[in-house]
Amino acid sequence: MVGSVGNGLMDLCHKGKVEPLPKEFDPTDIVEPMPAVDLESLGGDEGSGKNREIVLGRNVHTMCFTIKEPEVDDEVTGEREAYMASVLARYRRSLIERTKHHLGYPYNLDFDYGALAQLQHFSINNLGDPFIESNYGVHSRQFEVGVLDWFARLWELEKNEYWGYITNCGTEGNLHGILVGREVFPDGILYASKESHYSVFKAARMYRMECVKVDTLISGEIDCIDFKAKLLQNKERPAVINVNIGTTVKGAVDDLDMVIQTLEENGFKGRFYIHCDGALFGLMMPFVKRAPKVTFKKPIGSVSVSGHKFVGCPMPCGVQITRLKHIDVLSSNVEYLASRDATIMGSRNGHAPIFLWYTLNRKGYRGFQKEVQKCLRNAHYLKDRLKEAGIGAMLNELSSTVVFERPKDEEFVRRWQLACEGNISHVVVMPNVNIDKLDSFLEELFQKRSCWYQEGMMSPPCIAADIGQENCFCVLHKK
Amino acid sequence: MVGSVGNGLMDLCHKGKVEPLPKEFDPTDIVEPMPAVDLESLGGDEGSGKNREIVLGRNVHTMCFTIKEPEVDDEVTGEREAYMASVLARYRRSLIERTKHHLGYPYNLDFDYGALAQLQHFSINNLGDPFIESNYGVHSRQFEVGVLDWFARLWELEKNEYWGYITNCGTEGNLHGILVGREVFPDGILYASKESHYSVFKAARMYRMECVKVDTLISGEIDCIDFKAKLLQNKERPAVINVNIGTTVKGAVDDLDMVIQTLEENGFKGRFYIHCDGALFGLMMPFVKRAPKVTFKKPIGSVSVSGHKFVGCPMPCGVQITRLKHIDVLSSNVEYLASRDATIMGSRNGHAPIFLWYTLNRKGYRGFQKEVQKCLRNAHYLKDRLKEAGIGAMLNELSSTVVFERPKDEEFVRRWQLACEGNISHVVVMPNVNIDKLDSFLEELFQKRSCWYQEGMMSPPCIAADIGQENCFCVLHKK
């Protein structure tokens, strides 16, 4: 090869002397023998906790479904088809079971997209910009722009003033928002509360931005007194701020108005860019009274929300909306925009916009309003029942995330798929989490707890530092 | 709100005085009236070219499917359901038509995942690291790791020496590979041939890396003489190199061996990181004789390949494989890895691994080998027939991408969804592109061409600069 670059290659092509058919290629060289598969072990038992080995940075191959080279006579015997069908059937059963026992992540698992199954036969790809057609015709931009319009309207930005796209997840929204902020203020410092999603700190690392972590209140909200102090230490450089519309652990909503006020009163007017990470609550807040309104009528730069959380979607996705002028500024500065692409990704999933379009159309603003009300009601029910039973718990005013003491048993945590941090754990009440499900969870928790904390044995942990003394029911703080 | 942060909020929660139900909320405030929809205009006519306005950075709302607030009596009238069903039915027809007439992008549109339709009901999410279980139970890591193993084996890296994950697209693979390279060599300069995918230059911008573009040969391969000259200008700084295993436009494969030799002979031994962008050909090359082998037995750092291209998949996805030691190094350096996440994204599509697992299992190495052979054979057929008809064309030795003169008519380009650059255009021969499809394309092209270039009128453009004199059949270079 080394000697044949350039015209040599061309000649070969031209004369048709290519030798593309590797007759000597023997697949058995690189193919493993068909492993013996214990069908009993295929999925569905991950909650059991046995034989599980979790090591950071190590390859865990305990439960993997190996890919096996088909036997030459396979089409005759049908063995392969039978094997694959059995793996899939068993996996489906495990999905049903795992979906039933799920409380910890803010994913609405209640959806029916049966009408869209017909589209799975197509390779739908919205590569590049949603507003610029590419020559690839199998796309769903018509749906994507419809969804974007809906969100732009919700957040009060005119059609001809916004730009946005449907992302792969909440992280991509944050990565995009912070990148736009950095391009607007290349020497800006990134500020984010320490309870921000980890993707914010990942962005700082990726983009080589200086990042300042700001303290939080017990509720999980950003502490604007600390924010002010940190701003004043860096008065000469502009600020790029990540504002949380619902933190991951406590569901806390940063006070956008106070963040803006703090910036403007301390000499940052016209020298800041705010990205609102509304992964979960970006879509619930508009329907909650007293919530500080997220709107582009305030001096914010971008808002992102996840599509697989409150809306519910088979695969992760999200919506990112920013001001068109920022993208315009970028397009004159940024070389890569010559390719007409202001997204983070290149190829983009064209199914997600159709799922979102379908649900938004079916439910509408009114439908979401009802669901938000139901979630908040059910979250209160859960928090009240926990407290009645003497279990410390907290529920932020604008949130459906109930924070409480971490269950002592990892098995229980895994069974209900609770997200934990230190001594606390949470349940995110989504539309698919109804009273029945909460009751069955509570009953099991109360029962287990009576074993964990038998009289004279251990006591529940103190979680006053996490959720405040008034919410903690440990031995010390019990009233 | 401003005055009520902290315990104020807490009190409200505790006393149950929340007012979450926005009784005064009136959806009609933010809801558009039901627009009059002309069903005839719904999709399917994008190829017609009429009324299309494409403006960079402008919101194009010409064909968007607006989301409409359901009427209060909607459940009774059923009008909404009927509207949505009609939009979807028409969209489906347009997808069939667009899929039929598609030649320009390297997407294998020939797949049948009917057996997996049952999984669309689940919100499958492989958030974080594939090898570390999260508490979210509705995932498909068993399938993901199976797929990763298959690729690690193909590229000859041991199970306990690799790390990887299934990405959202080829771009994410490049973003990850280059990020790993930068973390290994923080002051490294990024080198990439000027025909590299735009995501490589996007990465440089995002990561604030100095980027040096290297010239290419007529074939589209990196020019190692120019590469050497550019390396010698920056001897003191390490090199991060993007090596193309199939460029976007010409399907050219950079000579990996010569790139390594150039690095080692010029004082860069142990001071370089190579990322192989195998978006398309990463999966075809192993089956092509004479192809420079992509293998981790050579000093490369990472390889990425797209899953929706040669494999075929309803949504974009890709596979990224790197050396575990690089991730280990990262995990001690990088703060964000405390969150146990070395991927670019957070939430990750759990359906894509199952699609890949399904196809790899069904086809196996042997199946892919056959398909690669078929593609190369059909690509030769296309190139030969073009040349016989007096149309300049080029086909790289290791490629199924046929480059030829750009058709004069944009309508024709759009109809066949050809990707174009300057005076050239290309067809990427994928498994779903059979001889029949090529014949119907050729017939239409020949017919149209006889109109475009009637005697005495215009002549076809000279494309010698793009594909070489010997391949150009313009007036000047015709033999």
Side-chain angles (χ1 to χ4, degrees):
Chain A
M1 257 313 279
V2 170
S4 72
V5 289
N7 286 344
L9 265 181
M10 232 47 57
D11 286 340
L12 277 171
C13 283
H14 191 64
K15 293 177 195 152
K17 279 187 185 164
V18 190
E19 296 179 302
L21 313 183
K23 285 184 190 129
E24 85 290 17
F25 176 83
D26 178 5
T28 58
D29 284 356
I30 49 168
V31 172
E32 285 184 347
M34 187 107 160
V37 176
D38 174 10
L39 284 181
E40 290 306 313
S41 72
L42 297 178
D45 62 348
E46 288 163 64
S48 72
K50 66 179 177 197
N51 298 327
R52 285 161 23 92
E53 192 193 346
I54 301 177
V55 186
L56 177 59
R58 284 282 183 78
N59 286 334
V60 175
H61 284 91
T62 45
M63 311 235 331
C64 130
F65 295 151
T66 312
I67 291 164
K68 295 164 289 182
E69 184 67 10
E71 298 293 328
V72 176
D73 63 349
D74 196 76
E75 280 173 34
V76 186
T77 66
E79 208 179 317
R80 162 152 313 256
E81 291 291 328
Y83 159 74
M84 289 171 66
S86 75
V87 169
L88 289 171
R90 202 167 274 267
Y91 177 61
R92 183 163 177 274
R93 282 211 297 282
S94 88
L95 288 179
I96 292 171
E97 193 277 332
R98 301 313 287 147
T99 296
K100 204 170 102 194
H101 290 97
H102 175 266
L103 287 177
Y105 291 78
Y107 307 147
N108 179 7
L109 305 185
D110 181 18
F111 50 73
D112 176 7
Y113 290 116
L116 305 181
Q118 50 177 334
L119 303 180
Q120 198 189 267
H121 299 286
F122 302 98
S123 180
I124 311 180
N125 191 334
N126 291 357
L127 55 169
D129 193 298
F131 300 102
I132 301 166
E133 273 188 59
S134 99
N135 280 344
Y136 183 62
V138 190
H139 66 78
S140 64
R141 282 179 173 71
Q142 316 92 304
F143 295 90
E144 183 173 20
V145 174
V147 171
L148 295 174
D149 279 356
W150 192 92
F151 279 95
R153 189 144 203 243
L154 186 68
W155 295 322
E156 304 184 300
L157 195 52
E158 295 294 322
K159 272 193 191 183
N160 58 354
E161 286 179 13
Y162 89 85
W163 183 89
Y165 72 107
I166 293 184
T167 61
N168 286 295
C169 56
T171 290
E172 188 176 350
N174 289 343
L175 291 182
H176 193 274
I178 293 168
L179 183 61
V180 171
R182 191 198 73 177
E183 296 300 302
V184 173
F185 294 113
D187 66 335
I189 290 177
L190 177 62
Y191 297 85
S193 93
K194 64 181 185 186
E195 298 197 34
S196 302
H197 190 253
Y198 68 86
S199 58
V200 172
F201 307 109
K202 189 196 276 193
R205 178 88 191 186
M206 280 171 67
Y207 300 153
R208 293 187 156 165
M209 291 176 83
E210 192 178 329
C211 179
V212 173
K213 279 191 191 183
V214 180
D215 287 344
T216 46
L217 307 173
I218 283 280
S219 66
E221 278 178 83
I222 191 167
D223 176 354
C224 280
I225 293 168
D226 187 57
F227 179 44
K228 176 180 172 176
K230 284 175 175 157
L231 280 174
L232 293 178
Q233 286 165 23
N234 297 288
K235 280 199 83 151
E236 71 294 346
R237 287 170 62 187
V240 176
I241 308 100
N242 176 74
V243 167
N244 297 306
I245 310 301
T247 59
T248 320
V249 176
K250 295 180 182 174
V253 177
D254 291 345
D255 189 332
L256 176 60
D257 296 324
M258 201 191 258
V259 166
I260 293 172
Q261 193 187 329
T262 307
L263 284 160
E264 295 191 337
E265 286 179 359
N266 290 284
F268 282 82
K269 194 157 186 154
R271 293 169 57 236
F272 65 86
Y273 179 97
I274 292 177
H275 170 68
C276 297
D277 174 6
L280 171 57
F281 293 147
L283 193 44
M284 297 177 71
M285 293 271 293
F287 307 108
V288 182
K289 202 177 165 182
R290 297 180 53 105
K293 204 169 176 191
V294 174
T295 164
F296 279 93
K297 291 187 175 164
K298 298 176 182 173
I300 61 173
S302 44
V303 183
S304 58
V305 67
S306 293
H308 58 297
K309 292 183 178 159
F310 194 72
V311 181
C313 190
M315 72 277 289
C317 61
V319 173
Q320 168 73 357
I321 299 282
T322 183
R323 294 180 193 273
L324 181 57
K325 68 176 181 187
H326 295 321
I327 299 297
D328 280 346
V329 167
L330 281 180
S331 69
S332 61
N333 292 342
V334 180
E335 189 183 24
Y336 67 70
L337 271 172
S339 68
R340 299 184 163 196
D341 180 14
T343 70
I344 300 272
M345 291 300 154
S347 286
R348 297 190 299 107
N349 184 346
H351 293 268
I354 307 176
F355 288 119
L356 296 180
W357 179 88
Y358 188 81
T359 297
L360 297 183
N361 246 316
R362 278 182 66 132
K363 296 190 178 166
Y365 295 99
R366 272 194 213 89
F368 283 114
Q369 187 187 14
K370 271 190 216 155
E371 291 200 332
V372 170
Q373 292 175 355
K374 195 181 88 176
C375 290
L376 295 179
R377 222 162 27 226
N378 290 350
H380 273 272
Y381 173 82
L382 173 62
K383 187 248 320 170
D384 290 343
R385 285 213 53 194
L386 285 167
K387 289 195 156 182
E388 281 160 25
I391 302 174
M394 176 179 90
L395 172 60
N396 271 316
E397 185 188 13
L398 308 168
S399 165
S400 70
T401 300
V402 178
V403 183
F404 60 102
E405 65 172 47
R406 182 184 189 138
K408 198 172 156 290
D409 183 24
E410 278 305 303
E411 171 90 30
F412 180 87
V413 166
R414 199 168 298 120
R415 175 166 153 79
W416 290 97
Q417 302 163 55
L418 306 175
C420 300
E421 196 179 83
N423 281 332
I424 55 172
S425 175
H426 74 206
V427 163
V428 186
V429 179
M430 285 281 100
N432 65 313
V433 178
N434 55 26
I435 296 283
D436 278 357
K437 195 170 190 174
L438 290 174
D439 280 343
S440 116
F441 165 74
L442 285 163
E443 201 174 308
E444 204 175 308
L445 177 66
F446 296 160
Q447 196 191 344
K448 292 273 178 191
R449 217 165 161 274
S450 67
C451 301
W452 302 334
Y453 305 119
Q454 284 176 33
E455 218 152 323
M457 309 279 284
M458 294 182 68
S459 308
C462 171
I463 51 175
D466 297 296
I467 63 172
Q469 282 188 23
E470 70 281 17
N471 294 312
C472 179
F473 291 178
C474 75
V475 181
L476 190 65
H477 296 110
K478 212 183 293 184
K479 281 136 217 169
Chain B
M1 255 314 277
V2 168
S4 72
V5 289
N7 286 343
L9 266 183
M10 229 49 54
D11 286 339
L12 277 172
C13 283
H14 192 61
K15 293 177 196 153
K17 279 189 187 162
V18 188
E19 295 177 301
L21 313 184
K23 285 185 190 127
E24 84 290 17
F25 176 83
D26 178 5
T28 56
D29 284 355
I30 51 169
V31 171
E32 286 183 348
M34 186 106 162
V37 175
D38 173 12
L39 284 179
E40 289 307 311
S41 72
L42 298 176
D45 62 348
E46 290 164 67
S48 71
K50 64 177 177 195
N51 299 329
R52 284 162 25 87
E53 191 195 346
I54 300 176
V55 185
L56 178 60
R58 284 281 183 80
N59 286 335
V60 176
H61 284 92
T62 45
M63 312 236 330
C64 131
F65 295 151
T66 311
I67 291 165
K68 293 163 290 179
E69 184 69 10
E71 298 293 328
V72 177
D73 64 347
D74 196 76
E75 278 173 35
V76 185
T77 66
E79 207 180 318
R80 163 152 314 256
E81 292 291 327
Y83 160 73
M84 289 172 68
S86 75
V87 169
L88 290 170
R90 202 166 275 267
Y91 178 61
R92 183 164 178 273
R93 282 213 296 283
S94 90
L95 289 178
I96 292 171
E97 193 276 332
R98 301 313 287 147
T99 297
K100 204 169 103 194
H101 290 99
H102 175 265
L103 288 176
Y105 292 78
Y107 309 147
N108 179 7
L109 305 185
D110 182 18
F111 50 72
D112 177 7
Y113 290 116
L116 304 181
Q118 50 177 333
L119 302 180
Q120 199 190 266
H121 299 286
F122 302 99
S123 178
I124 311 180
N125 190 335
N126 291 356
L127 54 170
D129 194 297
F131 300 102
I132 300 166
E133 272 188 59
S134 99
N135 281 345
Y136 183 62
V138 189
H139 66 78
S140 64
R141 283 180 172 69
Q142 316 92 305
F143 295 90
E144 183 173 21
V145 174
V147 170
L148 295 174
D149 280 356
W150 192 92
F151 279 95
R153 188 144 205 241
L154 185 69
W155 295 322
E156 304 184 300
L157 195 51
E158 295 294 322
K159 271 192 192 184
N160 57 356
E161 287 179 12
Y162 89 85
W163 183 89
Y165 73 107
I166 294 185
T167 60
N168 286 296
C169 57
T171 290
E172 188 176 350
N174 289 344
L175 291 182
H176 193 273
I178 292 168
L179 182 61
V180 170
R182 191 198 72 176
E183 296 300 301
V184 173
F185 295 113
D187 66 335
I189 289 175
L190 177 62
Y191 298 86
S193 92
K194 64 180 186 187
E195 297 197 31
S196 301
H197 189 253
Y198 68 86
S199 58
V200 172
F201 307 109
K202 189 196 277 193
R205 176 89 191 188
M206 279 171 68
Y207 300 153
R208 293 185 156 167
M209 293 177 81
E210 191 177 329
C211 179
V212 174
K213 280 192 189 180
V214 181
D215 286 345
T216 47
L217 307 172
I218 282 280
S219 67
E221 279 178 82
I222 191 169
D223 176 354
C224 280
I225 294 168
D226 187 57
F227 180 44
K228 176 180 172 177
K230 283 172 176 160
L231 280 173
L232 293 178
Q233 287 166 22
N234 297 287
K235 279 199 86 149
E236 71 293 347
R237 287 171 63 187
V240 177
I241 308 100
N242 176 73
V243 168
N244 297 305
I245 311 301
T247 58
T248 319
V249 177
K250 295 180 180 174
V253 177
D254 289 347
D255 189 331
L256 176 60
D257 296 324
M258 202 192 257
V259 166
I260 293 171
Q261 193 187 330
T262 306
L263 284 160
E264 296 191 336
E265 286 179 359
N266 291 284
F268 283 80
K269 196 159 185 154
R271 295 170 54 237
F272 65 86
Y273 179 98
I274 291 176
H275 169 68
C276 297
D277 174 7
L280 170 58
F281 293 148
L283 193 45
M284 297 177 72
M285 293 271 295
F287 307 108
V288 182
K289 200 177 166 183
R290 297 179 55 105
K293 204 171 174 189
V294 174
T295 165
F296 280 92
K297 291 187 174 162
K298 299 175 184 173
I300 62 172
S302 44
V303 183
S304 58
V305 68
S306 294
H308 57 297
K309 291 182 179 160
F310 195 72
V311 181
C313 190
M315 73 276 290
C317 61
V319 173
Q320 168 72 356
I321 299 282
T322 183
R323 294 179 193 275
L324 182 56
K325 68 176 181 187
H326 295 320
I327 299 297
D328 281 344
V329 167
L330 280 181
S331 68
S332 60
N333 292 342
V334 180
E335 188 184 23
Y336 67 70
L337 270 171
S339 68
R340 300 183 162 197
D341 180 13
T343 70
I344 300 271
M345 290 302 153
S347 287
R348 297 191 299 106
N349 183 346
H351 293 269
I354 307 176
F355 288 118
L356 295 179
W357 179 88
Y358 188 80
T359 297
L360 298 183
N361 246 318
R362 279 182 65 133
K363 296 190 176 167
Y365 295 99
R366 273 195 213 88
F368 284 113
Q369 186 186 15
K370 270 190 217 156
E371 291 200 331
V372 170
Q373 292 175 357
K374 195 180 88 174
C375 290
L376 295 180
R377 224 165 22 230
N378 289 350
H380 273 273
Y381 173 81
L382 173 62
K383 187 250 318 172
D384 290 344
R385 285 214 52 195
L386 285 167
K387 289 196 155 183
E388 280 159 25
I391 302 174
M394 176 178 90
L395 171 60
N396 271 316
E397 186 185 14
L398 309 167
S399 164
S400 70
T401 301
V402 179
V403 183
F404 60 101
E405 63 171 48
R406 180 183 192 142
K408 196 172 157 292
D409 182 23
E410 278 305 302
E411 170 91 31
F412 181 87
V413 166
R414 198 168 299 123
R415 175 166 154 80
W416 289 96
Q417 302 162 54
L418 306 175
C420 300
E421 195 178 84
N423 281 331
I424 56 172
S425 175
H426 74 206
V427 163
V428 187
V429 179
M430 286 282 100
N432 65 315
V433 178
N434 55 25
I435 296 283
D436 278 356
K437 195 171 191 173
L438 291 175
D439 280 344
S440 112
F441 165 75
L442 286 163
E443 201 174 308
E444 204 174 311
L445 176 66
F446 296 160
Q447 197 191 341
K448 293 273 181 189
R449 217 166 162 273
S450 67
C451 302
W452 303 333
Y453 305 120
Q454 283 176 34
E455 218 151 323
M457 309 277 285
M458 295 182 68
S459 308
C462 172
I463 51 176
D466 299 295
I467 64 173
Q469 281 189 23
E470 70 280 19
N471 293 313
C472 179
F473 291 177
C474 74
V475 181
L476 190 66
H477 297 110
K478 211 183 292 183
K479 281 135 212 167

